[in-house]
């Protein structure tokens, strides 16, 4: 299937595997790339040295194009971009809008820049700054999310910008791909669906929790870090929502200490990163700390398998997913379903 996205990044199918922290590592990214999708390596939870090793590992596993996801507000964003350029990565993905200067630096090196946005005005802004494409995530998507549904947000953005638009939030099959294309998108991006594959390194016990979830088990809460965060409802989430400020602060300090030890960050840097995530919100100090060390909460579940101690970011589609195909099987199935759906639509008179 030939679209503006496949032509832009040189992939076979208009499907993107998103850069999920602790999930989108070399094994998943290379498997997605080998399946013909665009695999995105999550770098925010990696040290710069680990990022370089991860890029080289992906390249040793595949000859297909892949990208790296960066935090535009990270203090070492420039260093991470340098690593990408030195290692020859051709696609840069951003969870937050990169600065015009960062976009210009990447484009000067012929790197394709694809920020993720959750509002029309943000898409217009990055397009004006020179982004090559944009991923638009509706409220159904996992992790930090907005309030506008994909079916409302996507056509707004498609009409507003002249660059390829990739739809995210609520996609898991070929029917969804065709629906996104009908709105004018150039492809779809999926996180939860790729998390729930046999190529994902997420522990089996955690995958079982996702597979057992219904649509009602996927919730949006501000209790974790003060920002709207879509995840599976667990006892931990319930506990955070019921906790008073002092208990949340103690919990935040303990988690922050763990993440600081793991990442090598100083307390000053940790607090600065937490404050950078406020986005003008009125957060308490416990929420600032939790915002800074949310990666630790995710790691507890996604790496250590501790569903009782960690959080599990999730799109609403977790409630309709019931299997663990390989990335190759998943992408092949999606494209087959898309073709069958298009054939049915062509027969409609």
């Amino acid at each position: 299937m030939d679209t503006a996205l496949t032509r832009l990044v040189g992939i076979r199918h208009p499907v993107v595997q998103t850069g999920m922290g602790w999930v989108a590592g070399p094994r998943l990214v290379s498997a997605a790339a080998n399946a013909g999708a665009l695999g995105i390596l999550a770098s925010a939870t990696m040290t710069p040295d680990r990022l370089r090793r991860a890029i080289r590992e992906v390249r040793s596993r595949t000859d297909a194009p892949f990208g790296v996801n960066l935090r535009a507000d990270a203090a070492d964003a420039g260093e991470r971009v340098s690593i990408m350029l030195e290692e020859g990565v051709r696609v840069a993905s951003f969870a937050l809008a990169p600065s015009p200067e960062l976009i210009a630096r990447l484009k000067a090196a012929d790197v394709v820049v694809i920020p993720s946005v959750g509002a029309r005005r943000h898409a217009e802004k990055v397009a004006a700054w020179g982004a090559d494409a944009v991923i638009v995530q509706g409220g159904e998507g996992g992790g930090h999310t907005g309030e506008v549904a994909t079916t409302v947000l996507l056509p707004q953005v498609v009409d507003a910008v002249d660059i390829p638009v990739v739809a995210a939030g609520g996609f898991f099959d070929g029917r969804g791909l065709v629906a996104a294309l009908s709105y004018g998108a150039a492809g779809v991006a999926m996180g939860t669906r790729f998390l729930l594959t046999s190529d994902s390194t997420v522990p089996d016990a955690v995958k079982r929790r996702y597979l057992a979830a219904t649509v009602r088990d996927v919730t949006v809460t501000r209790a974790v870090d003060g920002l709207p965060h879509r995840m599976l409802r667990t006892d931990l989430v319930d506990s955070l929502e019921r906790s008073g400020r002092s208990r949340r602060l103690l919990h935040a300090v303990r988690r922050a200490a763990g993440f600081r030890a793991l990442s090598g960050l100083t307390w000053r840097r940790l607090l600065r990163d937490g404050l950078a995530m406020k986005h003008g919100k009125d957060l308490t100090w416990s929420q600032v700390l939790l915002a800074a060390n949310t990666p630790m909460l995710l790691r507890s579940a996604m790496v250590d398998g501790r569903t009782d101690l960690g959080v599990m970011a999730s799109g609403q589609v977790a409630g309709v997913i019931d299997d663990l195909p390989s990335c190759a099987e998943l992408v092949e199935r999606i494209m087959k379903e898309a073709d069958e759906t298009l054939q049915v639509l062509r027969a409609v008179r």
Side-chain angles (χ1 to χ4, degrees), residues 23-349:
V23 177
R27 192 172 89 179
L28 180 62
V29 171
S30 58
N34 284 328
L38 178 65
I40 302 292
L41 188 68
S43 77
T45 53
M46 299 178 183
T47 64
D49 287 344
R50 172 57 186 147
L51 172 59
R52 188 184 297 276
R53 294 196 301 271
I55 291 171
R56 291 178 178 178
E57 184 177 346
V58 173
R59 199 171 297 287
S60 73
R61 291 170 174 258
T62 184
D63 294 325
F66 67 95
V68 170
N69 181 263
L70 301 165
R71 265 188 60 181
D73 61 344
D76 61 355
E79 179 184 358
R80 291 171 184 270
V81 166
S82 295
I83 292 171
M84 286 180 55
L85 300 182
E86 291 165 7
E87 297 298 328
V89 176
R90 305 317 309 161
V91 179
S93 164
F94 291 91
L96 298 173
S99 65
E101 294 76 19
L102 199 55
I103 292 177
R105 181 184 175 192
L106 288 162
K107 288 178 67 67
D110 294 324
V111 174
V112 175
V113 180
I114 310 179
S116 294
V117 300
R120 171 179 173 168
R121 67 182 185 279
H122 297 155
E124 292 173 329
K125 179 171 65 176
V126 297
W129 288 349
D132 297 288
V134 64
I135 295 175
V136 178
Q137 178 175 304
E140 300 93 322
H144 291 119
T145 191
E147 299 176 348
V148 182
T150 302
T151 51
V152 175
L153 179 62
L154 178 58
Q156 280 188 318
V157 175
V158 168
D159 291 344
V161 300
D162 294 325
I163 58 177
V165 175
V166 181
F171 296 99
F172 65 99
D173 64 2
R175 295 171 299 175
L177 172 57
V178 172
L181 296 176
S182 73
Y183 275 112
V188 295
M190 304 183 299
T192 305
R193 179 63 277 195
F194 275 104
L195 183 156
L196 294 173
T197 61
S198 59
D199 294 304
S200 164
T201 58
V202 171
D204 290 342
V206 177
K207 290 179 181 178
R208 288 194 292 269
R209 285 292 298 270
Y210 277 93
L211 294 177
T214 68
V215 173
R216 292 180 178 274
D217 294 322
V218 185
T219 188
V220 175
T221 181
R222 292 178 178 268
V224 171
D225 55 16
L227 304 172
H229 203 150
R230 187 176 291 283
M231 61 184 64
L232 294 187
R233 178 162 290 284
T234 63
D235 291 342
L236 174 63
V237 173
D238 289 339
S239 175
L240 288 173
E241 289 182 340
R242 293 193 305 266
S243 298
R245 286 194 173 188
S246 59
R247 185 175 176 183
R248 284 199 298 268
L249 180 59
L250 178 60
H251 182 88
V253 170
R254 287 176 176 172
R255 289 294 181 185
F259 183 52
R260 191 183 73 83
L262 183 70
S263 63
L265 299 178
T266 64
W267 279 107
R268 180 187 297 272
R269 168 72 183 282
L270 195 65
L271 289 172
R272 183 172 60 187
D273 285 353
L275 289 168
M277 295 178 69
K278 288 182 65 172
H279 301 299
K281 301 295 190 302
D282 183 20
L283 303 184
T284 66
W285 277 109
S286 61
Q287 289 171 330
V288 169
L289 279 173
L290 280 169
N293 76 95
T294 294
M296 191 64 176
L297 292 171
L298 290 166
R299 184 184 190 277
S300 292
M302 300 305 170
V303 177
D304 301 333
R306 294 298 303 271
T307 58
D308 56 330
L309 298 177
V311 299
M312 291 170 280
S314 177
Q316 283 186 306
V317 295
V320 295
I321 294 174
D322 59 7
D323 64 349
L324 298 170
S326 67
C327 287
E329 292 167 339
L330 173 63
V331 174
E332 181 181 4
R333 184 169 73 194
I334 288 173
M335 300 313 300
K336 183 174 183 292
E337 290 171 347
D339 183 62
E340 292 170 348
T341 301
L342 288 170
Q343 289 184 40
V344 170
L345 292 174
R346 291 188 187 105
V348 175
R349 294 292 187 270

